[in-house]
Amino acid sequence: MTEKAMARNIYLGEVSRNEEVRPDFFLMKIRLPAQFERPLPGQFVMVRVAGLQDPFLSRPLSIYACKQGPRFCTIELLYRVAGKGTRILAGLIPGSQVELSGPLGTGYRVDRTKKNIVLIAGGIGIAPLSLLVRELRRRSCRAADAMTVYLGARTETALVGLDALRQSCSRIIVCTDDGTLGEKAPVTKAFQRDLPKYNPADTALYACGPKPMIRSLAGLLNDQYFCQVSLEERMACGVGACAGCVVAVKDASGNKAYRRVCADGPVFELKDILWE
Amino acid sequence: MTEKAMARNIYLGEVSRNEEVRPDFFLMKIRLPAQFERPLPGQFVMVRVAGLQDPFLSRPLSIYACKQGPRFCTIELLYRVAGKGTRILAGLIPGSQVELSGPLGTGYRVDRTKKNIVLIAGGIGIAPLSLLVRELRRRSCRAADAMTVYLGARTETALVGLDALRQSCSRIIVCTDDGTLGEKAPVTKAFQRDLPKYNPADTALYACGPKPMIRSLAGLLNDQYFCQVSLEERMACGVGACAGCVVAVKDASGNKAYRRVCADGPVFELKDILWE
Amino acid sequence: MKKKSKTDPALAVDIAGLKMKNPVITASGTFGYGEEYAEYVNLNQLGGIVVKGLSLKPRLGNPPPRIMETTGGLLNAVGLQNVGVAAFLAEKLPFLRRYDVAVIANIYGESYAEYARVAEKLSAAPGVHALEVNVSCPNVKQGGLSFGANPKAAAEVTRRVKAATDLPVWVKLTPNVTDITVIARAVEQAGADAVSLINTLTGMAIDLRTRRPHLKNVTGGLSGPAIKPVALRMVWQVAQSVAVPVIGMGGILTAEDALEFMVAGAKAVQVGTANFINPLAAEEIVQGMRLYLKHHKIKNIAEIVGTLQV
Amino acid sequence: MKKKSKTDPALAVDIAGLKMKNPVITASGTFGYGEEYAEYVNLNQLGGIVVKGLSLKPRLGNPPPRIMETTGGLLNAVGLQNVGVAAFLAEKLPFLRRYDVAVIANIYGESYAEYARVAEKLSAAPGVHALEVNVSCPNVKQGGLSFGANPKAAAEVTRRVKAATDLPVWVKLTPNVTDITVIARAVEQAGADAVSLINTLTGMAIDLRTRRPHLKNVTGGLSGPAIKPVALRMVWQVAQSVAVPVIGMGGILTAEDALEFMVAGAKAVQVGTANFINPLAAEEIVQGMRLYLKHHKIKNIAEIVGTLQV
Ligand SMILES: Cc1cc2nc3c(=O)[nH]c(=O)nc-3n(C[C@H](O)[C@H](O)[C@H](O)COP(=O)(O)OP(=O)(O)OC[C@H]3O[C@@H](n4cnc5c(N)ncnc54)[C@H](O)[C@@H]3O)c2cc1C
Ligand SMILES: Cc1cc2nc3c(=O)[nH]c(=O)nc-3n(C[C@H](O)[C@H](O)[C@H](O)COP(=O)(O)OP(=O)(O)OC[C@H]3O[C@@H](n4cnc5c(N)ncnc54)[C@H](O)[C@@H]3O)c2cc1C
Ligand SMILES: Cc1cc2nc3c(=O)[nH]c(=O)nc-3n(C[C@H](O)[C@H](O)[C@H](O)COP(=O)(O)O)c2cc1C
Ligand SMILES: Cc1cc2nc3c(=O)[nH]c(=O)nc-3n(C[C@H](O)[C@H](O)[C@H](O)COP(=O)(O)O)c2cc1C
Ligand code: FES
Ligand code: FES
């Protein structure tokens, strides 16, 4: 490994697999030095192709899975080809090198006192939540049926991560906008219908998805529930130095403040978010 | 082939081979549509990796060999890794696509009345001259010993193209700066020694190499010989539109003028060049 | 040529009386005199061609090296090498006249009088459809930028050229100023029929090995996608400050880039450095615009000009 | 830390009395308050750290989106979000004091008086080694660029700050002007101990899909390698126009880039956007400079400053 690999949190990784698991969705495995810190669910990495300066900035991607061995650590990223940067990532072949820093940001906080765990994922939002599900089962020893996952996507072929999720969770409610699989409804609609079943006192909610989904969730929950959401904003540094990735929140005294998604998040309490 | 391939002189080519033939020297084979025009020795192509914008400009490379078939035309480029652009080219694997225009520029003019053909190549200057040698043998039906090639390089491992050249030419004088192969002398020194053997009336000289070599050649020949040289300048457009690649020459009336290496050259009469 | 189908969106634009079949023009200095690209590009597909900057006498231009690549850009110090107005009329214009494309002559002078003389000579010739006055070349000692960075001088050049010609006069602005809208308004008041912007940003590159500038002229003009954000900003500012049409350029590579300039307020666009890395760029941009309009069911390109919501 | 070998070239510089162990400084707004990068970078290896621009009161900054990538560059409109000078002194400075690195406070005010007040407060605190006066931020409504583009206002800010502090005062110049040497000379005459340049070029990016600017603030500041040619040119021009030290920046990614700025006349350099794409950039630049000097048998970095042959 080069010197770069020695610095804390900055690594040169090697792509060991990069497959199109669904049209426009890729799963990339990256081999990293063993000292890569164990990621919390919700944390992400900043990644770029080694030696390439176009695109200019690194791209943030959630850690979808992580396997630590004695000599290497292998992480998996599940990503959608959204534009130039992810298109270039999608073109990498095994053996390619990526520059990567992480794990970055805050993770989901698991509240062990809540007996209902409900996860709501929209589209590629499944990536961080999948890691959360696996960690919940492993670390908190939750049963596969102690969690409910609401999973929404545009259409069946955009429902990535579902098969893998089935291995750790037996209660999965699937929705698609076009009805090609599961209910033909927005995922928040399906969740809204079940909402009365979930008592605020013993329910923990975790969500990740496009902004409109998060926003309508905020409308449904009305600050009554413990709900953590993972947000996405364009990022430059990924470490809290540039203040480029902010989101408006209510601060401790109820005033408007901007918080950095990369360092203060990406996981926020839903009730703190200011919808302007 | 895509639409791009339909336009005259602009092609999408596919790399079919790209090998390091000597340390830092690569031979790339590119498969092009059959309509790629038969190149004249001395002509070049502008080449860039398809879809990549860093480096920004295309790079000029001489056509080292060309084989035309009924369905495809395959050209070969022999190049030295000089900087960023050529380093990226060197990294291409078979199957990669390149955007390419050409053949561009003027070629060497073969004067059939001259019985001595003398070629002087410095370093990678061997690329266009190799094509000239092969074409001379093929088209003008010259014997392998009707030509003399003076070939110079820094060191033995930088003497590319020599083996291939031996197949078409039996009189090759090799020089290296460090004496690792052939004479330990600049190639112009070896040529200077033999110069009295070549009568200006029946000798045609063709040269390609670094500027100092061409310049000292100009000093030796003193406008007495028919001598064509191929020049190199940084290029932007490659087609004569930007006036970026000029070299100072004496025009018809003996005045200083700037000529475009890409369109008025790269082959110039040595005696026209103004050394400032 | 392809026949226009009934549903084809209208791309034609009218810039101060000059009608062009589409708003895509190749930029001065990046397309030679048209002939250089004629075997690559179907010139009839273009809206217009701005030829290399013309001066009264032929100009040698600057000594080489004249160009250097930078990140996402190109530095050039060609120094207005050109054949001169007489040779242009005799040798270059006849070729261009064979095509159905607007020909815009980019002109340059070392003095007010020279600008006027060049304008006059070009106006007498059939086949020149507009003049673009270059008061913004950073690569020449006299004239050029020194006129363009000063609102009074820029206005005076404009007045002199206007007095010397009946052709529409576009004035090409430099970005190397504190407030480009001041210059734009000054030339508008002096009679400019349109403004085109931006010319290149003055820059420099150094060869660390030799500790010399990469360009013999020391400084040069920066073009290409690196400058696109600056160009877009200035086009947007100027479009809000003047009533005459704005012709936008600076780093346009794709139809999307071109449309962004139009959304910012440009009525037409010029494609410069892009020609070097893809000779088909301008043609592809025309085609891409057509597809965009079709796809978004926009009937006329004019409908998107200046529609930026801020 | 590594022991210095006898043959190690000298990298130390002295900028108007401030001694730094090497000329590599992280640029304001790109390195937070230092702590954000502390787990990536060995801060002791840096010459200096310029902290995020500080104002008297905490500032919310501009609404998001605040950043957008462009070709070879970054547009930002952060709008000087900062904790305010009091919180800086109480919460951020103590952390920085633990390191052996020069701390330069970048300051910003909406009025002459605010600049002076911020300067005063910072000067009272041990551990701030110099002030960098930002008269060039394009992303705020008051102050910022409006001061920096006007030689009189820039000079007045400089005078007020000088009167309020004993620390060395660097004035940071904007590139968005017709002639940067005019501003540089004005602030030099007003007492600036050094000038740093360039701040960002004002630019814009448009989302064609929504026909809105990508930045909520509409325009933003362009940084990164895209602007390097402009930065190098201005550093070279200013270095020839003023006697005070010039601190150069704009698109520096590598030691080679940094050395080019020094050859152009910069006595020290700042590394900005590069930190984002490679947190180790500044450290690697220090190391690369050392290797370059060794390889070229140059004993002291000062020997290359301003050695450009034109
Ligand atoms: C903390 C975090 C974790 C993320 N995890 C994942 C993940 O696991 N899988 C995945 O597929 N994507 C993830 N994203 C989104 C991903 O970063 C963007 O899709 C990607 O950066 C787009 O880059 P691009 O060059 O392909 O597209 P661009 O050409 O840059 O943009 C394409 C489109 O995507 C939008 N976009 C660009 N950057 C972002 C961004 N940072 N966040 C949201 N939208 C953006 C643009 O506005 C545009 O509409 C994550 C984002 C963040 C902030
Ligand atoms: C008509 C023509 C034919 C050529 N044929 C060949 C060939 O067959 N094989 C081959 O290896 N090279 C050839 N060259 C040179 C080749 O184009 C350059 O080596 C290449 O462009 C360097 O690009 P780069 O990005 O690798 O290096 P850069 O990082 O751009 O530059 C590295 C070094 O090479 C110099 N350089 C850059 N461009 C040129 C150029 N166009 N000409 C000369 N020096 C340059 C630079 O000044 C610098 O010193 C030819 C050049 C021309 C003009
Ligand atoms: C090599 C070169 C030569 C140029 N010559 C001229 C010129 O003669 N007159 C002029 O007005 N602009 C000239 N320009 C500027 C371009 O017309 C255009 O304004 C600028 O390059 C920005 O657009 P672009 O980024 O699309 O290239 C030249 C640009 C380049 C790159
Ligand atoms: C996100 C961001 C925030 C910045 N904030 C400041 C600031 O607060 N004060 C300041 O003087 N310059 C600020 N700058 C400008 C940089 O310090 C620097 O002058 C500029 O980015 C050019 O250098 P670079 O290309 O190396 O980034 C900021 C730049 C960026 C990218
Ligand atoms: S990306 Fe820089 S602060 Fe978040
Ligand atoms: S490279 Fe443009 S004229 Fe030669």
Side-chain angles (χ1 to χ4, degrees), chain A residues 56-57 59 104 234 243 258, chain D residues 40 60 66-67 69 214 277:
Chain A
F56 183 58
L57 298 174
R59 295 293 191 258
L104 299 167
R234 289 198 296 259
Y258 289 122
Chain D
Y40 297 92
L60 258 184
R66 291 178 171 183
I67 53 172
E69 180 184 80
H214 272 296
I277 66 170

Side-chain angles (χ1 to χ4, degrees), chain B residues 3-4 7-10 37 48 53-59 84 99 101-104 233-237 239-248 256-260 276, chain C residues 29-33 36-37 39-40 52 60-74 78 81 214-215 223-225 253 273-280 284:
Chain B
E3 263 189 56
K4 193 151 265 180
R8 207 167 154 218
N9 278 358
I10 313 185
E37 247 178 57
R48 60 188 297 113
Q53 260 165 45
D54 179 42
F56 184 57
L57 298 174
S58 304
R59 296 293 191 258
K84 185 181 188 177
E99 285 170 29
S101 47
L104 299 167
E233 281 296 332
R234 289 199 297 259
M235 291 185 176
C237 71
V239 302
C242 74
C245 62
V246 298
V247 60
K256 170 170 158 180
Y258 289 122
R259 292 275 182 270
R260 302 158 304 179
E276 309 187 282
Chain C
T30 68
F31 212 68
Y33 302 103
E36 291 85 350
Y37 277 111
E39 52 173 313
Y40 296 91
K52 174 73 194 162
L60 259 183
N62 289 326
R66 292 178 170 181
I67 53 172
M68 183 64 200
E69 180 183 81
T70 67
T71 303
L74 172 70
V78 168
Q81 170 170 354
H214 272 296
L215 303 180
S223 63
L253 295 187
T273 308
N275 297 306
F276 304 158
I277 65 169
N278 175 16
L280 302 181
E284 289 175 0

Side-chain angles (χ1 to χ4, degrees), chain D residues 230-249:
Chain D
V230 175
L232 258 185
R233 183 260 297 182
M234 290 187 166
V235 164
W236 177 68
Q237 289 178 322
V238 169
Q240 287 169 297
S241 310
V242 297
V244 295
V246 173
I247 297 140
M249 78 196 85

Side-chain angles (χ1 to χ4, degrees), chain B residues 124-147:
Chain B
I124 193 67
I126 191 65
L129 291 180
S130 292
L131 184 60
L132 178 61
V133 167
R134 278 193 297 271
E135 290 287 289
L136 279 171
R137 287 217 52 188
R138 209 170 56 84
R139 287 213 259 177
S140 328
C141 306
R142 302 268 175 173
D145 62 357
M147 298 175 270

Side-chain angles (χ1 to χ4, degrees), chain D residues 41-72:
Chain D
V41 183
N42 182 348
L43 302 185
N44 288 317
Q45 295 292 318
L46 305 178
I49 294 173
V50 186
V51 301
K52 175 71 195 164
L54 296 165
S55 48
L56 197 56
K57 296 272 147 57
R59 284 179 62 99
L60 258 184
N62 289 326
R66 291 178 171 183
I67 53 172
M68 182 64 200
E69 180 184 80
T70 67
T71 303

Side-chain angles (χ1 to χ4, degrees), chain D residues 149-172:
Chain D
N150 179 328
K152 290 218 185 70
E156 182 60 19
V157 172
T158 309
R159 260 189 297 274
R160 297 290 198 96
V161 171
K162 276 298 284 183
T165 187
D166 292 325
L167 294 172
V169 172
W170 307 356
V171 178
K172 183 154 174 192

Side-chain angles (χ1 to χ4, degrees), chain A residues 213-250:
Chain A
M213 179 194 111
I214 306 288
R215 187 171 193 158
S216 75
L217 205 56
L220 293 179
L221 300 180
N222 210 1
D223 295 1
Q224 304 293 305
Y225 286 79
F226 171 86
C227 179
Q228 290 195 316
V229 299
S230 173
L231 299 180
E232 295 189 358
E233 281 296 331
R234 289 198 296 259
M235 291 186 176
C237 70
V239 302
C242 74
C245 63
V246 298
V247 60
V249 301
K250 283 166 274 189

